[in-house]
Amino acid sequence: DLVLEEKISELSEIKEDYFFEFLDKRKKVLGGVVICGGEPTIHKELPDFIKNISDSGYRVKLDTNGSNPEMLKEVISFLDYVAMDIKAPIDRYEEFVGIDIDPEKLKTSMDIIKRMDDYEFRTTVLPKHQKSDLLEIAETVKGAKRYYLQKFEKKNTVDPEFSGEVDDLLVQEVFEDIRDNFDICEIR
């Protein structure tokens, strides 16, 4: 629903006032807010939004693809946790995501995130990933605190390229090869 233009137009906008009223009513129940997307760092209002959430007493987690290190630098001091998706070997990103992304921006985001106290990198293993792809991705973030391999779940996929199944054995083999390179490494 967040990808197809006709589905996006059916979604109603949540007003910021309503959002903060919702949080105020749930202070005894909720401890944090996850900001995810699409890609949240494309919104120029993000720093003020995150600061307001943090000032309301909530912990804030940001999920990002790492394509906007400038925005990441701007919001990092208000974040308690960052999760960055690494979708492909850095030099083959366009092949996997279908758009041109500057590899240097991804690397800069990784460096920024690695300076945080609490963060993770993660890769959703797709049917098209080869073992060599996954090993190369893991090498890119080697030494990080947390790295997770997530198995792709085929639900509501738009692109027929994603209709295959992820090989459980492949994921396990990669995990065995890389797990000692991180403080925490798990399969989700």
Side-chain angles (χ1 to χ4, degrees):
D1 292 350
L2 296 175
V3 176
L4 300 173
E5 192 67 41
E6 63 273 10
K7 295 286 189 178
I8 293 171
S9 65
E10 294 174 9
L11 299 173
S12 59
E13 182 180 335
I14 298 172
K15 300 289 184 195
E16 194 168 323
D17 289 345
Y18 173 81
F19 174 80
F20 283 102
E21 287 172 18
F22 176 90
L23 288 182
D24 281 344
K25 291 176 184 174
R26 286 156 182 85
K27 281 194 179 202
K28 294 180 181 176
V29 181
L30 301 176
V33 175
V34 177
I35 300 173
C36 53
E39 176 51 38
T41 64
I42 65 172
H43 302 284
K44 65 182 185 326
E45 306 86 4
L46 185 65
D48 289 336
F49 186 63
I50 290 175
K51 185 177 183 319
N52 289 340
I53 294 169
S54 181
D55 288 348
S56 296
Y58 286 94
R59 294 174 48 87
V60 183
K61 174 187 176 229
L62 176 72
D63 288 352
T64 182
N65 66 17
S67 63
N68 191 347
E70 297 80 15
M71 178 63 79
L72 192 55
K73 283 181 205 169
E74 197 171 333
V75 299
I76 202 88
S77 64
F78 302 113
L79 298 173
D80 297 288
Y81 196 92
V82 174
M84 181 175 162
D85 292 311
I86 303 177
K87 301 176 186 308
I90 298 295
D91 61 340
R92 294 178 49 222
Y93 239 73
E94 185 175 353
E95 175 188 332
F96 278 80
V97 300
I99 58 172
D100 187 26
I101 294 180
D102 182 350
E104 292 308 312
K105 288 186 175 188
L106 298 175
K107 291 176 189 175
T108 299
S109 290
M110 288 179 216
D111 290 340
I112 292 166
I113 292 167
K114 284 181 180 179
R115 287 185 236 130
M116 290 188 69
D117 289 333
D118 225 357
Y119 65 89
E120 71 182 58
F121 296 106
R122 59 191 182 202
T123 298
T124 301
V125 181
L126 303 172
K128 74 185 277 181
H129 278 126
Q130 301 296 311
K131 183 175 182 178
S132 58
D133 298 327
L134 299 169
L135 293 174
E136 189 175 335
I137 294 167
E139 185 65 28
T140 303
V141 292
K142 185 176 180 177
K145 288 183 181 184
R146 291 183 188 84
Y147 181 62
Y148 298 99
L149 293 169
Q150 304 177 146
K151 290 183 357 184
F152 172 76
E153 293 185 23
K154 183 173 51 173
K155 293 180 187 172
N156 301 325
T157 56
V158 176
D159 189 335
E161 185 176 358
F162 297 102
S163 62
E165 298 293 329
V166 173
D167 181 351
D168 289 339
L169 185 58
L170 168 69
V171 176
Q172 188 63 41
E173 285 177 10
V174 170
F175 170 72
E176 295 295 333
D177 287 348
I178 68 169
R179 69 179 175 189
D180 292 336
N181 296 329
F182 305 95
D183 293 346
I184 298 170
C185 184
E186 296 175 0
I187 299 170
R188 290 183 171 156

